[in-house]
Amino acid sequence: MFWRFFSFFVCQLAGGLAGWYVAPPKTAAIGALVGVVLGGAGWLLIDLSRAVRLLRWLRVGDASDVAMSTGLWGEVSDRARRLIRAREQMTRDSQNRLQDFLAALQASPNGVVLLDSEGRIEWFNQMAATHFGFDAQRDILQHFGNLVRDPGFASYFANHDFLSELVMSGRENTPARPVKLSVHLHPYGEGRLLLLSRDITALEQAEAMRRDFVANVSHEIRTPLTVLAGFVETLQSLPLTDQEREHYLTLMAQQADRMQILVNDLLTLSRLEGSPPPGASDAVSMPALMRQLEQEGRALSAVLNPTSERLHKLVFDSLLEGEITGAPNELLSAMSNLVGNAIRYTPPGGEIHVRTLLLPDARAEFSVSDTGPGIAPEHIPRLTERFYRVDRSRSRDTGGTGLGLAIVKHVSQRHGAELKIESTPGKGATFTIIFPASRVRPRLDTMPGGQLGAAALLPAPSQ
Ligand code: ADP
């Protein structure tokens, strides 16, 4: 401020002196006065021009340019520049924060849609675009209800009762491939709404499977239980001869066996699902396993054909002189299920061919072929589902639980093996388990063509 006054007076003084010097001696005083006024006016003009420059800079200037560096206006411009810079930094910071939030919302596994108080879309993430088929260019500021025309959602939105979520069909929902979405609205801000969506198709399917499973288990257990309860009542209420009593007790024992087999299969399945895949520390000798399967198979065929008039023709070709690593009890259970099925579903006199083989690529194959009724192609993809049966009565009559192939599938998966089912209806079926080379320990002298494949590097079998 001092310099402002000082420069003002210096200008006036210089003007006065100049006026006094220039004017004739008689009017020197008037000349000096005019000089003072002109000096002051000149100073004000310069000052005004600086103020105008500053104002122009403030209106359109770049904050990095310094409008002027000296004097009062210099200080004003400097302060203004700093303020503008601080404001710009704050804006940049909050924009960065906003971008971070939006990036986090983009990364969310849930669909996120921000709606204004009228239900118009302000923003949505990629997952929401996938769930509802939105287009980022086209659909911003569109009414959500106009784009998602679901009657359930319309009443959910209209009722303004957002305590619970809504389950609705997804955009790509078809009867063959149902897609279910869970949608939940959360009010925030001034009448705004946050919409969260989740694809719950897998959850719904798991829940439906769980319900079906419980219903199936209850049904399977209820049938023998009802029969058993009937016999108990008969034994309690009717006077029976020893022979009749013996007969009823035999039938009761059969029903109890049936329940026991079912419970055992259920326990096996739950163990298979709940435990880690078996390692390579244990192994089963395939020739020994084949001998056991043959014994069991012949016994089962004899049980199913008590008169022994027309037993099955059982052929066992044990061409793999080695071991499969994994859980021996699981492998025995899976393979005996396949042999058992072939015997149970093939009419007496039919032929069952069980074979183990080392493939040229060092994988191993276990297959069971029969000359039974076979399976129609539409059933094949569903055979390994729990309780799925093609021939319900034959399954029950021969002691089937409907869980055998589910067990086979689980055991195969746990050993990294592939289960193949091939069938020509009316001619028979072939079930094959193909074990990966990493699970096979062949005997070196039995490698195909004497070649030493990768499996030859594995330790020799302990026979
Ligand atoms: P189950 O205890 O009823 O035999 P599985 O899971 O072992 O149950 O088999 C499922 C269904 O697959 C059976 O009910 C049967 O209809 C069919 N199936 C299985 N193996 C054979 C086979 N070798 N020949 C014909 N049908 C078979």
mmCIF file of all heavy atoms in Angstrom, residues 265 337-338 340-346 368 370 372-375 382-392 394-396 398-408 423 428-431, ligand 1:
data_model
loop_
_atom_site.group_PDB
_atom_site.id
_atom_site.type_symbol
_atom_site.label_atom_id
_atom_site.label_comp_id
_atom_site.label_asym_id
_atom_site.label_seq_id
_atom_site.Cartn_x
_atom_site.Cartn_y
_atom_site.Cartn_z
ATOM 1 N N ASP A 265 -25.321 -96.390 0.612
ATOM 2 C CA ASP A 265 -25.009 -95.637 -0.619
ATOM 3 C C ASP A 265 -25.012 -94.136 -0.341
ATOM 4 O O ASP A 265 -24.173 -93.398 -0.854
ATOM 5 C CB ASP A 265 -26.020 -95.965 -1.727
ATOM 6 C CG ASP A 265 -25.620 -97.227 -2.491
ATOM 7 O OD1 ASP A 265 -24.575 -97.809 -2.137
ATOM 8 O OD2 ASP A 265 -26.336 -97.616 -3.427
ATOM 9 N N ASN A 337 -20.167 -101.553 -8.930
ATOM 10 C CA ASN A 337 -21.474 -100.995 -9.300
ATOM 11 C C ASN A 337 -21.744 -101.218 -10.775
ATOM 12 O O ASN A 337 -22.861 -101.588 -11.169
ATOM 13 C CB ASN A 337 -21.485 -99.481 -9.031
ATOM 14 C CG ASN A 337 -22.263 -99.155 -7.774
ATOM 15 O OD1 ASN A 337 -23.401 -99.572 -7.636
ATOM 16 N ND2 ASN A 337 -21.657 -98.425 -6.862
ATOM 17 N N LEU A 338 -20.700 -101.011 -11.621
ATOM 18 C CA LEU A 338 -20.891 -101.188 -13.070
ATOM 19 C C LEU A 338 -21.128 -102.661 -13.416
ATOM 20 O O LEU A 338 -22.020 -102.980 -14.212
ATOM 21 C CB LEU A 338 -19.661 -100.662 -13.836
ATOM 22 C CG LEU A 338 -19.444 -99.143 -13.781
ATOM 23 C CD1 LEU A 338 -18.258 -98.734 -14.635
ATOM 24 C CD2 LEU A 338 -20.700 -98.396 -14.265
ATOM 25 N N GLY A 340 -22.277 -104.947 -11.341
ATOM 26 C CA GLY A 340 -23.579 -105.287 -10.755
ATOM 27 C C GLY A 340 -24.720 -104.823 -11.663
ATOM 28 O O GLY A 340 -25.662 -105.576 -11.937
ATOM 29 N N ASN A 341 -24.633 -103.593 -12.166
ATOM 30 C CA ASN A 341 -25.692 -103.077 -13.052
ATOM 31 C C ASN A 341 -25.828 -103.946 -14.297
ATOM 32 O O ASN A 341 -26.943 -104.283 -14.711
ATOM 33 C CB ASN A 341 -25.359 -101.647 -13.502
ATOM 34 C CG ASN A 341 -25.779 -100.624 -12.462
ATOM 35 O OD1 ASN A 341 -26.352 -100.972 -11.435
ATOM 36 N ND2 ASN A 341 -25.477 -99.372 -12.705
ATOM 37 N N ALA A 342 -24.661 -104.286 -14.898
ATOM 38 C CA ALA A 342 -24.710 -105.091 -16.134
ATOM 39 C C ALA A 342 -25.430 -106.410 -15.859
ATOM 40 O O ALA A 342 -26.277 -106.844 -16.655
ATOM 41 C CB ALA A 342 -23.289 -105.344 -16.627
ATOM 42 N N ILE A 343 -25.124 -107.031 -14.708
ATOM 43 C CA ILE A 343 -25.761 -108.330 -14.389
ATOM 44 C C ILE A 343 -27.248 -108.131 -14.086
ATOM 45 O O ILE A 343 -28.103 -108.888 -14.543
ATOM 46 C CB ILE A 343 -25.043 -109.000 -13.201
ATOM 47 C CG1 ILE A 343 -23.603 -109.345 -13.618
ATOM 48 C CG2 ILE A 343 -25.785 -110.234 -12.724
ATOM 49 C CD1 ILE A 343 -22.711 -109.793 -12.483
ATOM 50 N N ARG A 344 -27.551 -107.043 -13.348
ATOM 51 C CA ARG A 344 -28.941 -106.831 -12.924
ATOM 52 C C ARG A 344 -29.857 -106.471 -14.093
ATOM 53 O O ARG A 344 -31.025 -106.821 -14.113
ATOM 54 C CB ARG A 344 -29.000 -105.747 -11.858
ATOM 55 C CG ARG A 344 -28.515 -106.256 -10.505
ATOM 56 C CD ARG A 344 -28.227 -105.126 -9.535
ATOM 57 N NE ARG A 344 -29.295 -104.176 -9.523
ATOM 58 C CZ ARG A 344 -29.116 -102.850 -9.632
ATOM 59 N NH1 ARG A 344 -27.892 -102.373 -9.766
ATOM 60 N NH2 ARG A 344 -30.122 -102.044 -9.610
ATOM 61 N N TYR A 345 -29.311 -105.699 -15.057
ATOM 62 C CA TYR A 345 -30.188 -105.252 -16.148
ATOM 63 C C TYR A 345 -30.147 -106.171 -17.368
ATOM 64 O O TYR A 345 -30.941 -106.006 -18.289
ATOM 65 C CB TYR A 345 -29.848 -103.806 -16.547
ATOM 66 C CG TYR A 345 -30.219 -102.857 -15.421
ATOM 67 C CD1 TYR A 345 -29.250 -102.314 -14.592
ATOM 68 C CD2 TYR A 345 -31.558 -102.577 -15.158
ATOM 69 C CE1 TYR A 345 -29.595 -101.495 -13.542
ATOM 70 C CE2 TYR A 345 -31.917 -101.757 -14.103
ATOM 71 C CZ TYR A 345 -30.924 -101.214 -13.298
ATOM 72 O OH TYR A 345 -31.279 -100.425 -12.256
ATOM 73 N N THR A 346 -29.216 -107.131 -17.384
ATOM 74 C CA THR A 346 -29.155 -108.054 -18.535
ATOM 75 C C THR A 346 -29.944 -109.321 -18.184
ATOM 76 O O THR A 346 -29.705 -109.931 -17.137
ATOM 77 C CB THR A 346 -27.691 -108.420 -18.849
ATOM 78 O OG1 THR A 346 -26.984 -107.215 -19.076
ATOM 79 C CG2 THR A 346 -27.587 -109.304 -20.084
ATOM 80 N N VAL A 368 -17.160 -102.253 -18.999
ATOM 81 C CA VAL A 368 -18.146 -103.323 -18.772
ATOM 82 C C VAL A 368 -19.169 -103.232 -19.899
ATOM 83 O O VAL A 368 -19.847 -102.209 -20.035
ATOM 84 C CB VAL A 368 -18.859 -103.142 -17.413
ATOM 85 C CG1 VAL A 368 -19.839 -104.282 -17.174
ATOM 86 C CG2 VAL A 368 -17.868 -103.037 -16.281
ATOM 87 N N ASP A 370 -22.475 -105.143 -21.890
ATOM 88 C CA ASP A 370 -23.473 -106.201 -21.702
ATOM 89 C C ASP A 370 -24.351 -106.312 -22.940
ATOM 90 O O ASP A 370 -24.303 -105.456 -23.826
ATOM 91 C CB ASP A 370 -24.311 -105.926 -20.442
ATOM 92 C CG ASP A 370 -25.097 -104.654 -20.527
ATOM 93 O OD1 ASP A 370 -25.873 -104.499 -21.479
ATOM 94 O OD2 ASP A 370 -24.927 -103.772 -19.637
ATOM 95 N N GLY A 372 -27.648 -106.505 -22.661
ATOM 96 C CA GLY A 372 -28.974 -106.260 -22.085
ATOM 97 C C GLY A 372 -29.823 -105.339 -22.955
ATOM 98 O O GLY A 372 -29.540 -105.155 -24.144
ATOM 99 N N PRO A 373 -30.837 -104.723 -22.358
ATOM 100 C CA PRO A 373 -31.796 -103.915 -23.138
ATOM 101 C C PRO A 373 -31.192 -102.609 -23.659
ATOM 102 O O PRO A 373 -31.776 -101.969 -24.528
ATOM 103 C CB PRO A 373 -32.904 -103.617 -22.118
ATOM 104 C CG PRO A 373 -32.223 -103.701 -20.796
ATOM 105 C CD PRO A 373 -31.166 -104.741 -20.930
ATOM 106 N N GLY A 374 -30.049 -102.194 -23.118
ATOM 107 C CA GLY A 374 -29.458 -100.918 -23.540
ATOM 108 C C GLY A 374 -30.228 -99.730 -22.964
ATOM 109 O O GLY A 374 -31.191 -99.907 -22.206
ATOM 110 N N ILE A 375 -29.809 -98.550 -23.336
ATOM 111 C CA ILE A 375 -30.415 -97.329 -22.777
ATOM 112 C C ILE A 375 -30.681 -96.366 -23.932
ATOM 113 O O ILE A 375 -29.791 -96.140 -24.769
ATOM 114 C CB ILE A 375 -29.441 -96.658 -21.771
ATOM 115 C CG1 ILE A 375 -29.041 -97.660 -20.691
ATOM 116 C CG2 ILE A 375 -30.046 -95.412 -21.138
ATOM 117 C CD1 ILE A 375 -27.657 -97.437 -20.147
ATOM 118 N N ARG A 382 -28.491 -88.168 -18.263
ATOM 119 C CA ARG A 382 -29.022 -88.013 -16.904
ATOM 120 C C ARG A 382 -28.762 -89.213 -15.989
ATOM 121 O O ARG A 382 -29.129 -89.185 -14.807
ATOM 122 C CB ARG A 382 -30.539 -87.750 -16.978
ATOM 123 C CG ARG A 382 -30.875 -86.494 -17.779
ATOM 124 C CD ARG A 382 -32.259 -86.020 -17.497
ATOM 125 N NE ARG A 382 -32.474 -85.762 -16.081
ATOM 126 C CZ ARG A 382 -33.670 -85.552 -15.548
ATOM 127 N NH1 ARG A 382 -34.727 -85.579 -16.313
ATOM 128 N NH2 ARG A 382 -33.796 -85.326 -14.265
ATOM 129 N N LEU A 383 -28.147 -90.270 -16.558
ATOM 130 C CA LEU A 383 -28.009 -91.511 -15.782
ATOM 131 C C LEU A 383 -27.254 -91.329 -14.472
ATOM 132 O O LEU A 383 -27.526 -92.024 -13.493
ATOM 133 C CB LEU A 383 -27.272 -92.569 -16.615
ATOM 134 C CG LEU A 383 -28.072 -93.275 -17.701
ATOM 135 C CD1 LEU A 383 -27.255 -94.406 -18.270
ATOM 136 C CD2 LEU A 383 -29.385 -93.814 -17.145
ATOM 137 N N THR A 384 -26.278 -90.373 -14.454
ATOM 138 C CA THR A 384 -25.454 -90.244 -13.238
ATOM 139 C C THR A 384 -26.099 -89.317 -12.205
ATOM 140 O O THR A 384 -25.506 -89.065 -11.158
ATOM 141 C CB THR A 384 -24.042 -89.733 -13.589
ATOM 142 O OG1 THR A 384 -24.186 -88.524 -14.321
ATOM 143 C CG2 THR A 384 -23.261 -90.736 -14.408
ATOM 144 N N GLU A 385 -27.301 -88.805 -12.505
ATOM 145 C CA GLU A 385 -27.998 -88.003 -11.476
ATOM 146 C C GLU A 385 -28.496 -88.941 -10.382
ATOM 147 O O GLU A 385 -28.883 -90.085 -10.676
ATOM 148 C CB GLU A 385 -29.221 -87.310 -12.086
ATOM 149 C CG GLU A 385 -28.875 -86.164 -12.983
ATOM 150 C CD GLU A 385 -30.113 -85.577 -13.644
ATOM 151 O OE1 GLU A 385 -31.238 -85.770 -13.126
ATOM 152 O OE2 GLU A 385 -29.951 -84.940 -14.688
ATOM 153 N N ARG A 386 -28.504 -88.439 -9.165
ATOM 154 C CA ARG A 386 -28.968 -89.298 -8.065
ATOM 155 C C ARG A 386 -30.434 -89.653 -8.250
ATOM 156 O O ARG A 386 -31.243 -88.789 -8.581
ATOM 157 C CB ARG A 386 -28.850 -88.558 -6.734
ATOM 158 C CG ARG A 386 -27.462 -88.159 -6.409
ATOM 159 C CD ARG A 386 -27.562 -87.057 -5.430
ATOM 160 N NE ARG A 386 -26.277 -86.533 -5.099
ATOM 161 C CZ ARG A 386 -26.090 -85.628 -4.153
ATOM 162 N NH1 ARG A 386 -27.122 -85.172 -3.472
ATOM 163 N NH2 ARG A 386 -24.904 -85.192 -3.896
ATOM 164 N N PHE A 387 -30.751 -90.890 -8.053
ATOM 165 C CA PHE A 387 -32.109 -91.444 -8.112
ATOM 166 C C PHE A 387 -32.716 -91.441 -9.509
ATOM 167 O O PHE A 387 -33.901 -91.648 -9.672
ATOM 168 C CB PHE A 387 -33.068 -90.736 -7.143
ATOM 169 C CG PHE A 387 -32.662 -90.872 -5.699
ATOM 170 C CD1 PHE A 387 -32.218 -89.766 -4.976
ATOM 171 C CD2 PHE A 387 -32.693 -92.097 -5.075
ATOM 172 C CE1 PHE A 387 -31.819 -89.893 -3.657
ATOM 173 C CE2 PHE A 387 -32.308 -92.229 -3.751
ATOM 174 C CZ PHE A 387 -31.864 -91.128 -3.043
ATOM 175 N N TYR A 388 -31.896 -91.173 -10.525
ATOM 176 C CA TYR A 388 -32.440 -91.225 -11.894
ATOM 177 C C TYR A 388 -32.445 -92.678 -12.354
ATOM 178 O O TYR A 388 -31.418 -93.343 -12.353
ATOM 179 C CB TYR A 388 -31.608 -90.364 -12.844
ATOM 180 C CG TYR A 388 -32.264 -90.219 -14.200
ATOM 181 C CD1 TYR A 388 -33.222 -89.240 -14.412
ATOM 182 C CD2 TYR A 388 -31.963 -91.090 -15.246
ATOM 183 C CE1 TYR A 388 -33.854 -89.110 -15.641
ATOM 184 C CE2 TYR A 388 -32.602 -90.972 -16.477
ATOM 185 C CZ TYR A 388 -33.547 -89.985 -16.661
ATOM 186 O OH TYR A 388 -34.175 -89.862 -17.872
ATOM 187 N N ARG A 389 -33.618 -93.156 -12.699
ATOM 188 C CA ARG A 389 -33.716 -94.545 -13.148
ATOM 189 C C ARG A 389 -34.474 -94.595 -14.459
ATOM 190 O O ARG A 389 -35.449 -93.866 -14.635
ATOM 191 C CB ARG A 389 -34.492 -95.378 -12.131
ATOM 192 C CG ARG A 389 -33.761 -95.573 -10.818
ATOM 193 C CD ARG A 389 -34.758 -96.166 -9.871
ATOM 194 N NE ARG A 389 -34.152 -96.644 -8.662
ATOM 195 C CZ ARG A 389 -34.473 -96.181 -7.465
ATOM 196 N NH1 ARG A 389 -35.355 -95.200 -7.360
ATOM 197 N NH2 ARG A 389 -33.917 -96.686 -6.398
ATOM 198 N N VAL A 390 -34.027 -95.460 -15.362
ATOM 199 C CA VAL A 390 -34.772 -95.648 -16.603
ATOM 200 C C VAL A 390 -35.819 -96.728 -16.346
ATOM 201 O O VAL A 390 -37.008 -96.533 -16.561
ATOM 202 C CB VAL A 390 -33.838 -96.087 -17.756
ATOM 203 C CG1 VAL A 390 -34.620 -96.190 -19.052
ATOM 204 C CG2 VAL A 390 -32.683 -95.110 -17.902
ATOM 205 N N ASP A 391 -35.335 -97.860 -15.830
ATOM 206 C CA ASP A 391 -36.233 -98.983 -15.577
ATOM 207 C C ASP A 391 -36.439 -99.075 -14.058
ATOM 208 O O ASP A 391 -35.703 -99.745 -13.355
ATOM 209 C CB ASP A 391 -35.578 -100.264 -16.135
ATOM 210 C CG ASP A 391 -36.510 -101.459 -16.047
ATOM 211 O OD1 ASP A 391 -37.516 -101.373 -15.301
ATOM 212 O OD2 ASP A 391 -36.223 -102.470 -16.715
ATOM 213 N N ARG A 392 -37.465 -98.347 -13.602
ATOM 214 C CA ARG A 392 -37.685 -98.203 -12.162
ATOM 215 C C ARG A 392 -37.954 -99.550 -11.483
ATOM 216 O O ARG A 392 -37.362 -99.873 -10.453
ATOM 217 C CB ARG A 392 -38.871 -97.254 -11.959
ATOM 218 C CG ARG A 392 -38.975 -96.626 -10.611
ATOM 219 C CD ARG A 392 -39.850 -95.396 -10.680
ATOM 220 N NE ARG A 392 -39.062 -94.242 -11.094
ATOM 221 C CZ ARG A 392 -38.338 -93.520 -10.251
ATOM 222 N NH1 ARG A 392 -38.302 -93.822 -8.976
ATOM 223 N NH2 ARG A 392 -37.644 -92.492 -10.682
ATOM 224 N N ARG A 394 -37.332 -102.650 -12.515
ATOM 225 C CA ARG A 394 -36.211 -103.603 -12.547
ATOM 226 C C ARG A 394 -35.151 -103.174 -11.511
ATOM 227 O O ARG A 394 -34.572 -104.003 -10.823
ATOM 228 C CB ARG A 394 -35.601 -103.656 -13.960
ATOM 229 C CG ARG A 394 -34.404 -104.530 -14.051
ATOM 230 C CD ARG A 394 -34.554 -105.648 -15.099
ATOM 231 N NE ARG A 394 -33.485 -106.652 -14.973
ATOM 232 C CZ ARG A 394 -33.632 -107.819 -14.409
ATOM 233 N NH1 ARG A 394 -34.811 -108.177 -13.919
ATOM 234 N NH2 ARG A 394 -32.628 -108.669 -14.320
ATOM 235 N N SER A 395 -34.961 -101.843 -11.410
ATOM 236 C CA SER A 395 -33.990 -101.333 -10.435
ATOM 237 C C SER A 395 -34.385 -101.781 -9.023
ATOM 238 O O SER A 395 -33.578 -102.331 -8.281
ATOM 239 C CB SER A 395 -33.940 -99.805 -10.511
ATOM 240 O OG SER A 395 -33.331 -99.287 -9.359
ATOM 241 N N ARG A 396 -35.672 -101.562 -8.674
ATOM 242 C CA ARG A 396 -36.121 -101.908 -7.317
ATOM 243 C C ARG A 396 -36.076 -103.418 -7.083
ATOM 244 O O ARG A 396 -35.590 -103.884 -6.059
ATOM 245 C CB ARG A 396 -37.552 -101.408 -7.103
ATOM 246 C CG ARG A 396 -37.631 -99.909 -7.038
ATOM 247 C CD ARG A 396 -38.231 -99.444 -5.705
ATOM 248 N NE ARG A 396 -38.009 -98.010 -5.562
ATOM 249 C CZ ARG A 396 -38.762 -97.089 -6.147
ATOM 250 N NH1 ARG A 396 -39.784 -97.443 -6.888
ATOM 251 N NH2 ARG A 396 -38.492 -95.808 -5.982
ATOM 252 N N THR A 398 -34.264 -105.601 -8.282
ATOM 253 C CA THR A 398 -32.930 -106.199 -8.169
ATOM 254 C C THR A 398 -32.097 -105.495 -7.102
ATOM 255 O O THR A 398 -30.875 -105.603 -7.076
ATOM 256 C CB THR A 398 -32.198 -106.138 -9.525
ATOM 257 O OG1 THR A 398 -32.175 -104.772 -9.948
ATOM 258 C CG2 THR A 398 -32.872 -106.992 -10.568
ATOM 259 N N GLY A 399 -32.755 -104.719 -6.245
ATOM 260 C CA GLY A 399 -32.063 -104.107 -5.100
ATOM 261 C C GLY A 399 -31.330 -102.819 -5.436
ATOM 262 O O GLY A 399 -30.425 -102.401 -4.714
ATOM 263 N N GLY A 400 -31.729 -102.149 -6.529
ATOM 264 C CA GLY A 400 -31.062 -100.894 -6.907
ATOM 265 C C GLY A 400 -31.519 -99.734 -6.046
ATOM 266 O O GLY A 400 -32.660 -99.694 -5.584
ATOM 267 N N THR A 401 -30.624 -98.777 -5.842
ATOM 268 C CA THR A 401 -30.986 -97.597 -5.036
ATOM 269 C C THR A 401 -31.109 -96.353 -5.906
ATOM 270 O O THR A 401 -31.554 -95.306 -5.453
ATOM 271 C CB THR A 401 -29.883 -97.310 -3.995
ATOM 272 O OG1 THR A 401 -28.654 -97.111 -4.694
ATOM 273 C CG2 THR A 401 -29.739 -98.444 -3.003
ATOM 274 N N GLY A 402 -30.675 -96.444 -7.159
ATOM 275 C CA GLY A 402 -30.687 -95.251 -8.023
ATOM 276 C C GLY A 402 -29.479 -94.368 -7.765
ATOM 277 O O GLY A 402 -29.396 -93.255 -8.295
ATOM 278 N N LEU A 403 -28.550 -94.846 -6.927
ATOM 279 C CA LEU A 403 -27.377 -94.014 -6.589
ATOM 280 C C LEU A 403 -26.084 -94.578 -7.164
ATOM 281 O O LEU A 403 -25.037 -93.930 -7.105
ATOM 282 C CB LEU A 403 -27.232 -93.910 -5.066
ATOM 283 C CG LEU A 403 -28.382 -93.213 -4.341
ATOM 284 C CD1 LEU A 403 -28.217 -93.342 -2.838
ATOM 285 C CD2 LEU A 403 -28.447 -91.750 -4.737
ATOM 286 N N GLY A 404 -26.165 -95.788 -7.747
ATOM 287 C CA GLY A 404 -24.943 -96.467 -8.188
ATOM 288 C C GLY A 404 -24.113 -95.648 -9.164
ATOM 289 O O GLY A 404 -22.911 -95.449 -8.962
ATOM 290 N N LEU A 405 -24.744 -95.143 -10.231
ATOM 291 C CA LEU A 405 -23.961 -94.422 -11.240
ATOM 292 C C LEU A 405 -23.511 -93.047 -10.731
ATOM 293 O O LEU A 405 -22.495 -92.522 -11.180
ATOM 294 C CB LEU A 405 -24.762 -94.286 -12.544
ATOM 295 C CG LEU A 405 -24.939 -95.605 -13.313
ATOM 296 C CD1 LEU A 405 -25.737 -95.388 -14.599
ATOM 297 C CD2 LEU A 405 -23.589 -96.226 -13.655
ATOM 298 N N ALA A 406 -24.274 -92.480 -9.777
ATOM 299 C CA ALA A 406 -23.816 -91.209 -9.163
ATOM 300 C C ALA A 406 -22.505 -91.467 -8.419
ATOM 301 O O ALA A 406 -21.565 -90.657 -8.466
ATOM 302 C CB ALA A 406 -24.876 -90.664 -8.215
ATOM 303 N N ILE A 407 -22.442 -92.612 -7.740
ATOM 304 C CA ILE A 407 -21.203 -92.977 -7.030
ATOM 305 C C ILE A 407 -20.066 -93.190 -8.034
ATOM 306 O O ILE A 407 -18.959 -92.684 -7.859
ATOM 307 C CB ILE A 407 -21.437 -94.241 -6.161
ATOM 308 C CG1 ILE A 407 -22.398 -93.901 -5.021
ATOM 309 C CG2 ILE A 407 -20.123 -94.807 -5.631
ATOM 310 C CD1 ILE A 407 -22.814 -95.071 -4.160
ATOM 311 N N VAL A 408 -20.383 -93.900 -9.133
ATOM 312 C CA VAL A 408 -19.350 -94.161 -10.157
ATOM 313 C C VAL A 408 -18.815 -92.833 -10.704
ATOM 314 O O VAL A 408 -17.607 -92.636 -10.849
ATOM 315 C CB VAL A 408 -19.935 -95.016 -11.314
ATOM 316 C CG1 VAL A 408 -18.907 -95.196 -12.419
ATOM 317 C CG2 VAL A 408 -20.398 -96.365 -10.794
ATOM 318 N N SER A 423 -24.423 -96.834 -25.751
ATOM 319 C CA SER A 423 -25.441 -97.890 -25.789
ATOM 320 C C SER A 423 -26.191 -97.892 -27.119
ATOM 321 O O SER A 423 -26.417 -96.845 -27.717
ATOM 322 C CB SER A 423 -26.434 -97.679 -24.641
ATOM 323 O OG SER A 423 -27.474 -98.624 -24.762
ATOM 324 N N GLY A 428 -27.563 -103.566 -26.005
ATOM 325 C CA GLY A 428 -26.676 -103.583 -24.838
ATOM 326 C C GLY A 428 -26.045 -102.229 -24.565
ATOM 327 O O GLY A 428 -26.330 -101.242 -25.260
ATOM 328 N N ALA A 429 -25.222 -102.208 -23.526
ATOM 329 C CA ALA A 429 -24.592 -100.941 -23.119
ATOM 330 C C ALA A 429 -23.147 -101.205 -22.730
ATOM 331 O O ALA A 429 -22.798 -102.318 -22.323
ATOM 332 C CB ALA A 429 -25.354 -100.347 -21.938
ATOM 333 N N THR A 430 -22.317 -100.160 -22.887
ATOM 334 C CA THR A 430 -20.921 -100.259 -22.448
ATOM 335 C C THR A 430 -20.608 -99.058 -21.562
ATOM 336 O O THR A 430 -20.841 -97.909 -21.956
ATOM 337 C CB THR A 430 -19.956 -100.259 -23.660
ATOM 338 O OG1 THR A 430 -20.297 -101.365 -24.484
ATOM 339 C CG2 THR A 430 -18.510 -100.389 -23.211
ATOM 340 N N PHE A 431 -20.138 -99.333 -20.373
ATOM 341 C CA PHE A 431 -19.711 -98.275 -19.436
ATOM 342 C C PHE A 431 -18.188 -98.372 -19.330
ATOM 343 O O PHE A 431 -17.657 -99.445 -19.042
ATOM 344 C CB PHE A 431 -20.328 -98.488 -18.045
ATOM 345 C CG PHE A 431 -21.810 -98.247 -18.024
ATOM 346 C CD1 PHE A 431 -22.696 -99.192 -18.534
ATOM 347 C CD2 PHE A 431 -22.330 -97.077 -17.487
ATOM 348 C CE1 PHE A 431 -24.063 -98.967 -18.528
ATOM 349 C CE2 PHE A 431 -23.698 -96.840 -17.473
ATOM 350 C CZ PHE A 431 -24.573 -97.797 -17.998
HETATM 351 P P1 ADP B 1 -29.871 -98.386 -9.868
HETATM 352 O O1 ADP B 1 -29.550 -98.649 -8.465
HETATM 353 O O2 ADP B 1 -31.297 -98.095 -10.107
HETATM 354 O O3 ADP B 1 -29.326 -99.426 -10.787
HETATM 355 P P2 ADP B 1 -27.870 -96.671 -11.039
HETATM 356 O O4 ADP B 1 -27.507 -95.284 -10.703
HETATM 357 O O5 ADP B 1 -26.825 -97.713 -10.900
HETATM 358 O O6 ADP B 1 -29.152 -96.993 -10.189
HETATM 359 O O7 ADP B 1 -28.372 -96.695 -12.538
HETATM 360 C C1 ADP B 1 -29.282 -95.717 -12.967
HETATM 361 C C2 ADP B 1 -30.195 -96.279 -14.037
HETATM 362 O O8 ADP B 1 -29.454 -96.541 -15.215
HETATM 363 C C3 ADP B 1 -30.790 -97.619 -13.673
HETATM 364 O O9 ADP B 1 -31.966 -97.445 -12.919
HETATM 365 C C4 ADP B 1 -31.045 -98.247 -15.021
HETATM 366 O O10 ADP B 1 -32.319 -97.817 -15.488
HETATM 367 C C5 ADP B 1 -29.967 -97.657 -15.903
HETATM 368 N N1 ADP B 1 -28.856 -98.596 -16.108
HETATM 369 C C6 ADP B 1 -27.698 -98.658 -15.424
HETATM 370 N N2 ADP B 1 -26.893 -99.621 -15.898
HETATM 371 C C7 ADP B 1 -27.555 -100.193 -16.926
HETATM 372 C C8 ADP B 1 -27.247 -101.238 -17.853
HETATM 373 N N3 ADP B 1 -26.099 -101.911 -17.804
HETATM 374 N N4 ADP B 1 -28.174 -101.534 -18.785
HETATM 375 C C9 ADP B 1 -29.326 -100.855 -18.863
HETATM 376 N N5 ADP B 1 -29.680 -99.863 -18.017
HETATM 377 C C10 ADP B 1 -28.801 -99.522 -17.065
#
